Amino acid sequence: HGSVGPWPVLCLPSLRVLRVLECLDLTFMGTASFWMGACPVLEEICWTVDSSIPEQQRRIAAQTFLQLVGGSLKTAPRRSNFRVNVCNQNALAPSLALLCGRCKEPLFAHERIYALGPGTQPHIDLEAFVFGDSLQAGLSLLNGDNTQLNCPKRCHEAQGLFLIARQGSFIDTCGFEFAGACGKDLVNLAFSDSTDTD
């Protein structure tokens, strides 16, 4: 708690969980890609910024951190499990499902590599970033755009909303293939301790 740099360059081959909470030093965001190489068995990073830092600076730092992590994950050998939380201090479960907030149809069934970041628009509580290893068949496209996805029942189409952005859309997916807009009536998250992919 109340973490302040400088951030030493270490090799931590057995580190599985890294929690840097209520950080006062935003330069930690620049270490994001370092952890991928220095910690081969790392499964979870949780980084929160102290509330004394202005909200806009906290959001920018979180987004930058996620972009660096996502870029590193995309180019590094694929890990079997990896989770990042820059929203709150909660530990994350090994598996995440993304569901339509209205009909509860699964959009992604069991993502084992994912990140959670703050919402980038006022109606979005948080954003979930995934590579889409468990992308469900039959998702609908908003206006035929393959970068704007909804559930098969098209629950949000009448409002001109889409739940999932694919890389290449105007939404920043932070180096991941997909980003989900989470909120009560948007994407709902279901966490599971199971690593079973069936």
Side-chain angles (χ1 to χ4, degrees):
H1 290 277
S3 305
V4 178
W7 305 102
V9 175
L10 305 168
C11 182
L12 304 167
S14 62
L15 182 67
R16 295 186 95 72
V17 176
L18 174 65
R19 297 176 61 76
V20 180
L21 307 177
E22 300 302 318
C23 189
L24 294 166
D25 182 358
L26 296 183
T27 62
F28 181 79
M29 72 182 152
T31 69
S33 55
F34 160 77
W35 301 107
M36 304 299 105
C39 307
V41 297
L42 184 65
E43 293 180 358
E44 183 173 340
I45 297 175
C46 179
W47 177 48
T48 62
V49 177
D50 190 81
S51 60
S52 66
I53 306 290
E55 182 178 358
Q56 186 63 16
Q57 286 182 320
R58 292 194 314 265
R59 286 182 179 276
I60 291 169
Q63 194 78 3
T64 301
F65 189 80
L66 289 173
Q67 290 166 342
L68 293 170
V69 168
S72 295
L73 285 171
K74 192 171 185 175
T75 59
R78 185 60 68 98
R79 293 168 183 254
S80 59
N81 277 318
F82 196 75
R83 311 169 291 283
V84 179
N85 184 356
V86 295
C87 287
N88 56 49
Q89 297 180 13
N90 296 341
L92 299 175
S95 181
L96 174 70
L98 284 71
L99 314 169
C100 173
R102 292 184 180 166
C103 70
K104 307 304 181 203
E105 283 286 321
L107 308 167
F108 299 89
H110 47 53
E111 294 294 311
R112 294 177 5 179
I113 299 173
Y114 65 92
L116 302 180
T120 55
Q121 298 178 43
H123 68 286
I124 300 173
D125 294 338
L126 65 93
E127 294 180 9
F129 302 93
V130 299
F131 283 110
D133 295 333
S134 65
L135 176 68
Q136 298 298 283
L139 297 188
S140 62
L141 309 180
L142 181 65
N143 299 323
D145 186 337
N146 72 354
T147 68
Q148 300 178 2
L149 308 174
N150 276 320
C151 73
K153 295 181 180 177
R154 303 177 182 269
C155 293
H156 294 78
E157 193 167 297
Q159 293 81 32
L161 296 175
F162 60 97
L163 300 176
I164 304 294
R166 185 188 301 254
Q167 193 171 46
S169 79
F170 65 91
I171 302 294
D172 183 1
T173 62
C174 292
F176 290 78
E177 186 64 22
F178 299 96
C182 302
K184 181 181 177 195
D185 197 39
L186 300 170
V187 171
N188 291 176
L189 302 178
F191 297 93
S192 171
D193 287 331
S194 171
T195 56
D196 185 16
T197 58
D198 294 331

